[in-house]
Amino acid sequence: MSVLVPARQLEEYCAHILAAAGLPEPDALLVASSLVDANLRGVDSHGVSRIPIYVKRLQLGLVNPHPDVHVTSEAGGALVIDGDNGMGQVVMQRSLELALSRVPSARTVSVAVRNSNHYGSGAYFAKKAAAANTAIFLYGSAPSTMAAWGGRERFLGTNPYTFCVPAGNREPMMLDMATSVVARGRIILAQQVGERIPEGWAVDPNGEPTTDPESALAGSVLPFGGPKGYGIALMVEVMAAMFSGAASGPEIGDLYDDLDRPQGVGAFFTLHDIGAFQPLNHFSQRMEHLFDAIKQSGPPDREVLIPGELEARAAQRNKEYGISVPSAVVADLERLSPDGRRLANPDDAMTNAATRK
């Protein structure tokens, strides 16, 4: 069962919870906005189901609610930024602002971020970079949940990779993916709502395939594409952890399990000013032509999709009809409400299938 909640209402409700947990109101709204944006795009694993663990880590003092996010070194267009153990979204937003302020002069800016925390969906920040007429490559480290190819023990994270570029009058091209078969957050969400997971997502602690989310979380997620996914995950680890000086592999604190230490997450992103390479209008026209050509390359009875297109359509639909939030997640949020307000009327509960026309 799920409940339909308007995006703005969900965002304000979650921001209220985060502010009560100690985040300054502007930062609470930023974090809530990033999570709701993931729900809008249909990426529920990175949505408001994360609020309870964010609150818990704030209450335990494992996250700095008032970080001094600052540049520790700068050479040309290369920056190293210390997040001062702030909320991941806050650190990423301030790092992006610092990078964008240097784009007009440097034209290409690379930023290594250390001493941060889980920053949610990379797409939220990548869209902001694209809106500033830059292309972004974003790499993020994550707690150990995936064994190296041929290894036994969990070592690498799901290590997300995000690429986004504006496309004129079309939606930006958005590639936002984990280097595992599936983001671990989707397994966590399945556990929260009592669902099985598809075979091929993960193995149990004995290395056997499993559809039980509990066993999967105790075991290891699998890299997409076998050794190729492992190779890309290791590449992301190098960019996000080695370049920044952040924690790496098992050194990274698990968001849910390591409740005695900060996470120490790292990230690395590069912004490329499109106007430094091509006139912006010309680039936009070529991107639109590229999209049209790709669309026309498929058979008449099947649509060819651009990366990020399904998520953009989901966002439009969910803005109109509301976000379908599982009842278990609604209950978690309502338990955290500082003033006891309800998020939704129980009479509005319905199955996901009934929430769409």
Side-chain angles (χ1 to χ4, degrees):
M1 298 294 288
S2 63
V3 177
L4 280 180
V5 184
R8 178 60 63 85
Q9 178 184 338
L10 184 59
E11 185 177 291
E12 291 175 349
Y13 193 90
C14 290
H16 190 53
I17 291 172
L18 291 165
L23 279 185
E25 288 190 5
D27 292 346
L29 186 58
L30 167 67
V31 175
S33 174
S34 76
L35 297 176
V36 171
D37 182 74
N39 287 117
L40 278 170
R41 299 175 66 248
V43 188
D44 295 328
S45 60
H46 287 62
V48 298
S49 62
R50 301 282 183 156
I51 290 285
I53 191 61
Y54 283 4
V55 168
K56 189 169 188 177
R57 294 187 74 87
L58 282 165
Q59 291 174 338
L60 289 173
L62 300 177
V63 177
N64 182 0
H66 305 281
D68 174 23
V69 181
H70 60 282
V71 176
T72 63
S73 66
E74 183 170 0
L79 309 177
V80 178
I81 293 178
D82 190 298
D84 196 25
N85 192 34
M87 287 292 295
Q89 289 90 339
V90 174
V91 174
M92 187 60 68
Q93 175 65 27
R94 295 184 188 173
S95 298
L96 182 61
E97 290 169 355
L98 287 167
L100 286 171
S101 71
R102 288 156 171 81
V103 166
S105 57
R107 309 307 291 269
T108 291
V109 179
S110 295
V111 179
V113 182
R114 63 175 178 241
N115 201 11
S116 184
N117 288 280
H118 184 269
Y119 61 72
S121 171
Y124 180 75
F125 303 98
K127 286 189 296 183
K128 295 184 177 187
N133 293 320
T134 66
I136 183 172
F137 294 85
L138 168 60
Y139 312 85
S141 62
S144 297
T145 54
M146 185 168 69
W149 186 251
R152 284 187 58 187
E153 299 178 1
R154 296 187 298 186
F155 188 91
L156 294 170
T158 54
N159 289 8
Y161 172 80
T162 308
F163 169 76
C164 187
V165 63
N169 292 321
R170 313 296 168 80
E171 290 288 335
M173 176 185 164
M174 175 72 72
L175 177 65
D176 187 26
M177 52 177 274
T179 47
S180 54
V181 172
V182 66
R184 192 165 185 258
R186 292 184 65 180
I187 301 176
I188 294 170
L189 184 60
Q191 179 195 41
Q192 290 175 331
V193 301
E195 295 179 350
R196 309 293 289 184
I197 62 172
E199 192 167 320
W201 280 14
V203 293
D204 67 17
N206 297 317
E208 297 296 327
T210 182
T211 61
D212 175 28
E214 296 261 2
S215 296
L217 292 173
S220 174
V221 296
L222 296 171
F224 80 89
K228 293 182 180 180
Y230 156 63
I232 295 175
L234 187 55
M235 176 195 74
V236 172
E237 188 83 8
V238 170
M239 300 303 295
M242 300 298 109
F243 272 64
S244 67
S248 174
E251 300 169 351
I252 302 173
D254 187 90
L255 180 66
Y256 289 87
D257 295 334
D258 294 326
L259 299 179
D260 58 350
R261 60 189 174 109
Q263 286 195 275
V265 167
F268 186 96
F269 64 90
T270 301
L271 302 179
H272 302 276
D273 182 3
I274 291 167
F277 300 91
Q278 293 284 320
L280 186 57
N281 288 341
H282 179 62
F283 180 85
S284 298
Q285 290 170 1
R286 293 201 67 197
M287 286 297 295
E288 292 173 9
H289 177 74
L290 174 65
F291 282 16
D292 288 341
I294 291 173
K295 286 288 189 182
Q296 294 165 10
S297 69
D301 60 341
R302 189 167 66 248
E303 182 182 16
V304 178
L305 294 168
I306 305 296
E309 190 170 10
L310 282 180
E311 292 83 356
R313 290 179 185 177
Q316 290 180 341
R317 185 172 64 246
N318 290 334
K319 284 177 183 176
E320 181 176 356
Y321 296 115
I323 295 171
S324 180
V325 185
S327 297
V329 175
V330 170
D332 285 342
L333 296 177
E334 290 183 340
R335 279 193 289 271
L336 293 171
S337 174
D339 52 13
R341 284 192 296 128
R342 302 297 300 271
L343 174 59
N345 188 330
D347 294 337
D348 293 335
M350 58 189 73
T351 63
N352 284 335
T355 63
R356 300 288 178 256
K357 293 184 179 179

